[in-house]
Amino acid sequence: MAPKRAREEGAKGGKPHKHKEEVAHPRKRFYRARAHSNPLNDASFDVPTRPEDFDWDEHFPEFLQEWRERQQKQQQDAGDAAGPSSSASDTPVVRFVDIGCGFGGLLVKLSTIYPDTLMLGMEIRDKVSAYVRERIAALRREQPGSYRNASVLRTNAMKYLPNYFKKGQLTKMFFLFPDPHFKTANHRRRIINSHLLTEYAHLLAPGGWLYTISDVPELGDWMKAKLDAHPLFERVSEEELEADPAAGLLALSSEEGQKVARNGGATFRNVYRRLEAPRPMAEAAPS
């Protein structure tokens, strides 16, 4: 005798329903790590000598393969099938980077809002970066064709950003709830400081945005002061932020932001634009 469910569906004249195979997602409890780390400690990372030496196909295989196929088809349609299908300068590159991406909340949300933009989360903690890697892999299996533009890399962003990105390559950089490093002696570990802002300005394209948010008032003031004082950045107006999808994700997309919201805490958002040319020093606020 057929199973009851099959009999009922047969009586209705329909076919047995095929269940979509469930995709197992990683569980955070197996990937927990210390909330804070010392980015100035030496660690073993496999770092490319220069951006051109890094193979991004490992991170975005479907996205880049599809792009190459489109390029080849366009050239064939143009009657130039014998020529090269693409050049290194034309190949899509990472445009968004989330520094200290945590468990990847912002990254996966941005991926669906900007599906044609390659984006990378950078995380120094090995277990946390492993979780994000598994999370993205699960989402790709669950929703074929989506999340192909997002990936994660375990590295030390304070030391190695120029090894991965060229001058003017990035259009958005995110710093969500960075470690406060409260002690004065540890302020040099803060991810936003005058020296590193010059490096970020080098990697950001003119007009690119740098996003920061913190639930620590003193750190929020610190980041604002450093950015106000830097001649290559200007503050983005609240009107512009209201129209920007990424700015609306800063407070609640990450696990840390959600924790702050649950506890009724305040957040301090500061977003700045990379200028085409330095402002006169007289216009910069004191640091």
Side-chain angles (χ1 to χ4, degrees), residues 159 193 197 204 262:
K159 293 184 177 182
N193 62 51
L197 284 177
L204 274 169
R262 286 196 301 269

Side-chain angles (χ1 to χ4, degrees), residues 194 197 224-235 272 275 277-287:
S194 300
L197 284 177
K224 180 179 183 301
K226 296 300 180 185
L227 282 156
D228 282 341
H230 200 285
L232 283 171
F233 288 98
E234 70 173 4
R235 189 174 182 84
Y272 285 74
L275 295 171
R279 286 177 291 143
M281 293 305 294
E283 295 183 14
S287 60

